[in-house]
Amino acid sequence: MRVKGQGLLLWAPLLAFVAFFALVAAGLFKPADTAVRSKLIGKALPALTLPPIVPGHPGLTGEERGPRLVNIFASWCVPCAAEVEELARLRARGVVIDGIAVRDTPAELSAFLARHGNPYRAIGSDAESRSMLALGSSGVPETFVVDAAGVIRYQHIGAIGPQDFEAILRAVEDARTI
Amino acid sequence: MIAEAGLAALWLAAALSLLQLVAGGLAVRGVDVASLVRPVAVAQGALAAFAFAALMLVFARTDLSVALVAANSHVDKPMVYKLAGTWGNHEGSMLLWIAVLAVSGAAVAAWERRLPERTMIATLAGQAAIALGFYAFLLIASNPFARLSPAAAEGRGLNPVLQDPGLAFHPPTLYIGYVGLSVAFSFAIGALVTREVGPAFARAMRPWVLGAWVFLTLGITAGSYWAYYELGWGGWWFWDPVENASLMPWLAATALLHSVSVLATRGALSAWTVMLSVVAFSMSMVGTFLVRSGILTSVHSFAVDPTRGAFILLLLSIYVGGALALFALRIGTVREGTLFQPISREGALVANNLLLSAILGIVLVGTLYPLGVEAIAGEKLSVGPPYFNAATGPLALLLVVIMAAGPLLRWRRDRIVALARKVALPAILLAGGLAATLLLAPGLRILPLLGLSIAFGVGVASLAPLWGRSLRRTPLFTWGMVVSHLGIAVALGGMASESAFSRETLVSAAVGETAEVGPYRIRFEGVTPASGRNWTAVEARLTAERGDDVLVLTPQARIFAAPPTETSEAAIATVLDGQLYTVLGKPGADGHWQLRLWWKPFVTLIWLGGGLIALGGLMSLIGRVRRERRPAIWAAFA
Amino acid sequence: MKAKHQRLTLAALAVFAVGGSAVLAMSGLKDQAAYFYAPEDAAGGRAPVGKASRLGGMVMPGSIQRSNDGVSIRFVVHDAAASVPVRFTGITPDLFREGSGVVAEGRFLADGSFLADNLLAKHDERYMPPSAAGPGKLTRTDTLR
């Protein structure tokens, strides 16, 4: 025994669920925004002068040139240990990598590099995270792709995993061709 | 070996659930395969249980060649926590989910004989359909038995905060509750498909709903107490998305168990009962989705993975969307219930359902609001206790008042005058309580003030159904109702008291100094090192004096080894009229230590009340099953 | 008459109750939800005074000052563009340190400073945005494992 109007009410729950689904799907599939993005993408890399911290590697002088990665890391940072392997792979493909060691000590950093590998050209010591602020970086590890003109082209937040390798390589290739 | 056996069992169980679904679907249409369905369901349950046992065994032996064990356990952990590590992670807890799903389906298949066979077959087919989706999720996206090569050396360890007896057993309890509601969902599907929605359907479903609800109540109560003593902030409910994810199914299940009683005894509210059955388990699935998909992060979130989230969302849309569509299509053919007037017990139960649904809606909106705003406006915000308390508080208080009056109303039709006579005494006590509180403790905010008075009045009113009856001959399920309603009043009293009368003191104290909190004077005797199996700590010794009573409390600041974590272990002393809650903070440069001290009068009533609620439910369950078992036993043997 | 309408009435009541409560909830949320701001937003005058808010950024090295009562602190939260002084009374979370990320819950005061009721500190390893922050006790917000 159906009454007029009852039909519409009966479908209301399903419609409500569809609205919920749409909302949630939008939330799920929008690009993962899990960190504060640097506002410097497309802008010049700030000149960073950071003292050296381990023997055999110069610090950062602000005079570095050429398309490269600038990788913010630390010996106390667990995901950094995992990403060194990917950085080594990138280095094997000819990518130049400059490192910024955040709040680290020479002894621990040397031990870290000896244990996990050392893909870096220069390593600058940033005892107060100033470079992180200058770069708009919000955490460790973080990697920036910089082109020959010193412009930041790409930012990768978090550890570089095997699934990110291709994207970073492509970003470096793009950076080579200005 | 064990891991592979577990994985094989899981695949086999998945295959059986497919068979169960297909056979069930065909049987409902008249193909003669009905006799397959029940045995297959039982076998599926057994295999899923075996798979879960295999995972537990692998954890018990700390088999570090299994990736899950390596990531979540450690050779040095005490055995209890090694076992609890089985479900302290995403894959293991999903396996628990599906094991409970399959075993409850098996239980229904083995014992439920009160409904027409065709409806039962349709119900089991529904259960199999749900299971199939989750088996697929588990096997494809969350394999708990994946091997790690080479095997790990020690294991990463379980988060120390989880290494606690209360928390070790909280997930299984909750899961039995959440997933037990799937039985109600399947019953609703089965009844809609075969158009058998009626009192018999309600009577059959009722014990299953009660059972799941009891576990859910216990799980939530235990979780709240655990958060209270483990997290060290003195709070017992934070409106965290995962807490809300457990509360929402509970709200729906509470409405459902009342609605199912009406349908069983009076033949009314059939559409409500079916809808609530769908909503309750849907809320369980929504909760699982919210916690595991990463769209809402909270302190409880499992490993965040949007692809897993997408998978669950897909399952959700199939099951919930399908059920709601089936509802809309079929409910029109279900007979209208018997009539009742607004002032009647049915009317009170409708009000109960409406208020519970409204509270559920408020909690759901509050939980999803940050997501919506970020998706639409790109702004980040958070919704916390101020919103939830202000929005749900008044409705909850109104609900509790109706809870007191409802059982005193007659079915079908009653008069306000008759009701007024019955509630006169509790109402006077409520007003008296209100006046007394205003006099003795002026300056309370409105919600705690009302909460205290209502708790008092409703507590007395909940006993009213027993007045004038022979207590020995009152059915067990009536006792159950009384105990549960009393439990709600007790819990409300605890909540209001904690909110109104808690006292906090925060000091930086040197050894030998004293501080006051509530009626206690606390003396800081000193700090000493302490250690346990996988932790070291600094332990403070505090003596608390109140008149002639002296208590000793030893809060600690602990450091765990694997994974390296610092935690604070509060020291709590329970006395007759409340709890003294003490936390050790940071040392200052001058040898002073931070101490945070609370006096919380009657706070234990919150969890005592929760326990009473669950106990009442258990009493009702036993009472109903005993009354109805006799015919069923004969049927099972026939 | 009553028979035909009972179910319709109940259904209408249900939709009204749930829908109505959702609408009321949304309007309540406008006032009660705590928006997140970075120091840059505060400097730009975009942060409202007095309303429940969250402020997130890095703790400026050298800015933590403990007061004489031993339980209150002052410090400065900054990002690349601006900084905001913060006051807090209570036990700081374990990972609250200079140079580390923090989210403060509380409200902005008229003088541009922030009065915090609660502090949530983050591991630097994987900074999660403040909207993802839960109570700061478990400072790794991505896994419960």
Side-chain angles (χ1 to χ4, degrees):
Chain A
M1 172 171 38
R2 301 181 74 119
V3 181
K4 218 195 302 185
Q6 194 176 355
L8 201 58
L9 281 176
L10 290 179
W11 291 96
L14 183 59
L15 288 174
F17 177 71
V18 170
F20 162 84
F21 177 88
L23 175 71
V24 155
L28 199 55
F29 293 114
K30 72 172 165 56
D33 179 44
T34 52
V36 179
R37 296 231 160 249
S38 170
K39 303 204 172 58
L40 292 182
I41 296 197
K43 302 225 181 69
L45 180 76
L48 297 165
T49 353
L50 300 172
I53 181 171
V54 284
H57 295 277
L60 292 181
T61 56
E63 305 286 316
E64 289 78 22
R65 292 285 174 264
R68 61 193 183 282
L69 294 185
V70 175
N71 174 251
I72 305 180
F73 74 110
S75 66
W76 46 260
C77 151
V78 172
C80 299
E83 84 169 346
V84 174
E85 195 182 314
E86 298 304 317
L87 290 176
R89 280 177 68 200
L90 286 163
R91 170 122 185 279
R93 300 282 278 268
V95 178
V96 172
I97 307 177
D98 287 335
I100 297 179
V102 173
R103 283 183 278 122
D104 222 330
T105 67
E108 284 170 11
L109 190 54
S110 300
F112 175 89
L113 294 170
R115 203 157 129 220
H116 299 288
N118 188 346
Y120 299 104
R121 173 177 70 174
I123 303 180
S125 166
D126 184 356
E128 292 167 9
S129 318
R130 280 186 299 113
S131 62
M132 287 174 69
L133 281 170
L135 287 166
S137 150
S138 53
V140 182
E142 215 160 301
T143 305
F144 295 86
V145 176
V146 180
D147 67 21
V151 172
I152 296 177
R153 299 287 286 266
Y154 185 81
Q155 175 196 20
H156 180 85
I157 292 169
I160 297 174
Q163 67 278 12
D164 308 307
F165 180 82
E166 288 302 319
I168 303 239
L169 197 57
R170 252 181 292 122
V172 175
E173 302 292 331
D174 288 341
R176 290 189 212 276
T177 65
I178 306 180
Chain B
M1 256 326 283
I2 300 172
E4 277 69 32
L7 188 59
L10 211 48
W11 276 101
L12 212 50
L16 284 181
S17 83
L18 178 60
L19 179 59
Q20 184 178 331
L21 173 61
V22 169
L26 289 174
V28 165
R29 285 167 173 278
V31 177
D32 187 22
V33 284
S35 53
L36 267 184
V37 178
R38 286 186 191 255
V40 166
V42 173
Q44 187 212 141
L47 283 168
F50 175 83
F52 186 73
L55 190 63
M56 277 190 82
L57 189 56
V58 155
F59 266 87
R61 294 159 146 219
T62 320
D63 182 348
L64 292 166
S65 66
V66 174
L68 200 62
V69 179
N72 295 288
S73 194
H74 195 277
V75 291
D76 285 336
K77 258 200 312 182
M79 176 53 80
V80 177
Y81 303 129
K82 284 187 183 177
L83 290 175
T86 314
W87 51 75
N89 58 80
H90 165 74
E91 291 84 348
S93 63
M94 278 316 301
L95 181 53
L96 177 60
W97 172 283
I98 208 160
V100 176
L101 190 61
V103 168
S104 33
V108 171
W111 290 318
E112 190 52 70
R113 312 265 165 194
R114 288 169 291 182
L115 289 178
E117 191 63 7
R118 193 164 164 265
T119 306
M120 286 313 305
I121 300 293
T123 302
L124 289 171
Q127 190 81 354
I130 301 171
L132 197 55
F134 283 98
Y135 278 119
F137 176 62
L138 200 61
L139 290 167
I140 296 171
S142 308
N143 180 9
F145 293 110
R147 288 280 184 191
L148 181 69
S149 169
E154 283 185 333
R156 255 183 66 188
L158 186 66
N159 187 321
V161 178
L162 292 183
Q163 293 184 43
D164 173 280
L167 196 61
F169 297 98
H170 154 77
T173 315
L174 265 184
Y175 275 54
I176 295 176
Y178 280 146
V179 184
L181 291 175
S182 67
V183 171
F185 186 90
S186 300
F187 266 106
I189 302 289
L192 281 173
V193 165
T194 56
R195 299 166 209 256
E196 287 279 345
V197 179
F201 153 75
R203 275 197 296 275
M205 189 168 73
R206 181 167 45 188
W208 300 96
V209 173
L210 270 171
W213 181 83
V214 167
F215 276 97
L216 202 46
T217 306
L218 283 174
I220 294 174
T221 306
S224 163
Y225 189 64
W226 174 82
Y228 171 77
Y229 78 73
E230 181 60 36
L231 295 180
W233 307 317
W236 53 271
W237 189 263
F238 304 96
W239 296 106
D240 180 80
V242 169
E243 288 177 322
N244 295 348
S246 68
L247 183 63
M248 292 190 287
W250 185 86
L251 291 167
T254 306
L256 174 60
L257 76 87
H258 287 89
S259 192
V260 92
S261 276
V262 174
L263 183 55
T265 53
R266 308 296 304 176
L269 300 188
S270 52
W272 268 107
T273 305
V274 172
M275 174 56 80
L276 284 169
S277 307
V278 170
V279 168
F281 185 59
S282 303
M283 284 296 130
S284 297
M285 287 194 283
V286 165
T288 296
F289 166 73
L290 290 177
V291 171
R292 292 162 201 277
S293 63
I295 61 172
L296 290 177
T297 33
S298 92
V299 74
H300 286 78
S301 300
F302 288 108
V304 159
D305 191 339
T307 46
R308 284 174 175 164
F311 204 128
I312 301 184
L313 186 60
L314 180 63
L315 290 179
L316 245 182
S317 52
I318 295 173
Y319 297 140
V320 178
L324 290 176
L326 182 62
F327 174 84
L329 288 169
R330 284 289 171 95
I331 200 69
T333 61
V334 172
R335 230 181 27 244
E336 288 268 1
T338 50
L339 297 179
F340 55 86
Q341 299 297 326
I343 307 290
S344 63
R345 198 181 300 188
E346 290 97 327
L349 286 165
V350 167
N352 163 79
N353 280 0
L354 289 174
L355 284 168
L356 281 168
S357 305
I359 295 174
L360 174 58
I362 288 174
V363 174
L364 185 61
V365 167
T367 308
L368 294 177
Y369 193 69
L371 179 68
V373 166
E374 192 166 346
I376 296 173
E379 295 189 35
K380 297 195 206 291
L381 52 76
S382 70
V383 176
Y387 159 77
F388 286 105
N389 289 337
T392 62
L395 290 178
L397 288 177
L398 179 58
L399 180 58
V400 172
V401 169
I402 293 180
M403 176 190 87
L408 304 174
L409 286 166
R410 281 203 285 260
W411 291 106
R412 273 198 75 201
R413 184 174 58 200
D414 204 338
R415 285 164 306 146
I416 300 242
V417 174
L419 176 65
R421 259 188 282 131
K422 288 182 221 163
V423 300
L425 179 59
I428 291 172
L429 287 173
L430 190 157
L434 187 61
T437 316
L438 278 171
L439 281 172
L440 296 172
L444 290 183
R445 292 186 322 278
I446 185 76
L447 274 182
L449 176 65
L450 284 176
L452 282 169
S453 328
I454 289 175
F456 185 50
V458 166
V460 173
S462 62
L463 300 171
L466 294 175
W467 297 339
R469 289 176 88 138
S470 157
L471 293 182
R472 274 199 56 217
R473 302 188 61 183
T474 303
L476 190 56
F477 50 81
T478 305
W479 275 101
M481 171 184 79
V482 167
V483 169
S484 280
H485 288 178
L486 181 63
I488 298 250
V490 167
L492 176 62
M495 294 173 193
S497 172
E498 195 266 339
S499 175
F501 301 126
S502 279
R503 295 283 170 263
E504 178 185 342
T505 303
L506 178 63
V507 289
S508 179
V511 174
E513 285 181 4
T514 60
E516 312 253 342
V517 65
Y520 281 90
R521 160 164 289 166
I522 316 274
R523 204 179 119 87
F524 181 27
E525 304 282 353
V527 288
T528 49
S531 68
R533 190 160 159 182
N534 51 352
W535 52 268
T536 57
V538 169
E539 183 176 287
R541 194 184 146 86
L542 305 170
T543 45
E545 268 180 51
R546 173 191 190 181
D548 291 329
D549 286 329
V550 177
L551 302 163
V552 174
L553 295 124
T554 53
Q556 290 178 352
R558 253 188 219 183
I559 299 177
F560 282 84
T565 325
E566 289 175 41
T567 65
S568 170
E569 305 293 318
I572 303 177
T574 307
V575 294
L576 213 53
D577 60 341
Q579 282 188 332
L580 199 50
Y581 189 111
T582 62
V583 172
L584 179 65
K586 308 273 185 315
D590 48 359
H592 281 61
W593 285 80
Q594 290 176 329
L595 289 172
R596 203 165 175 195
L597 312 163
W598 280 275
W599 164 242
K600 293 179 174 290
F602 298 112
V603 71
T604 43
L605 290 183
I606 298 176
W607 304 292
L608 179 65
L612 280 176
I613 297 170
L615 177 63
L618 185 61
M619 289 163 72
S620 289
L621 174 59
I622 295 174
R624 291 284 176 207
V625 168
R626 272 204 329 214
R627 176 169 282 203
E628 296 182 13
R629 196 202 286 181
R630 272 156 274 147
I633 288 185
W634 295 122
F637 287 159
Chain C
M1 197 58 177
K2 190 65 174 105
K4 267 205 270 187
H5 285 292
Q6 177 164 288
R7 180 173 284 173
L8 180 59
T9 315
L10 291 180
L13 273 176
V15 172
F16 176 74
V18 180
S21 68
V23 167
L24 279 177
M26 301 275 283
S27 63
L29 279 168
K30 282 202 169 57
D31 297 319
Q32 305 273 18
Y35 281 80
F36 165 74
Y37 300 99
E40 184 183 349
D41 300 316
R46 284 187 292 280
V49 171
K51 252 188 73 169
S53 309
R54 290 175 156 213
L55 171 68
M58 302 267 262
V59 180
M60 184 179 280
S63 70
I64 297 183
Q65 292 167 302
R66 297 188 183 274
S67 71
N68 290 339
D69 65 4
V71 291
S72 303
I73 59 167
R74 305 171 97 93
F75 59 98
V76 174
V77 171
H78 69 157
D79 60 10
S83 62
V84 176
V86 178
R87 265 180 298 156
F88 173 70
T89 300
I91 297 181
T92 55
D94 300 318
L95 284 169
F96 174 75
R97 253 171 243 150
E98 295 178 345
S100 186
V102 71
V103 173
E105 290 181 328
R107 59 190 191 283
F108 285 96
L109 302 175
D111 62 0
S113 70
F114 192 85
L115 182 61
D117 304 315
N118 200 12
L119 291 182
L120 317 169
K122 305 281 149 273
H123 263 292
D124 265 14
E125 296 169 28
R126 182 82 202 191
Y127 177 80
M128 292 294 260
S131 63
K137 180 71 192 190
L138 291 179
T139 49
R140 283 205 68 157
T141 56
D142 54 346
T143 56
L144 184 62
R145 307 193 262 120

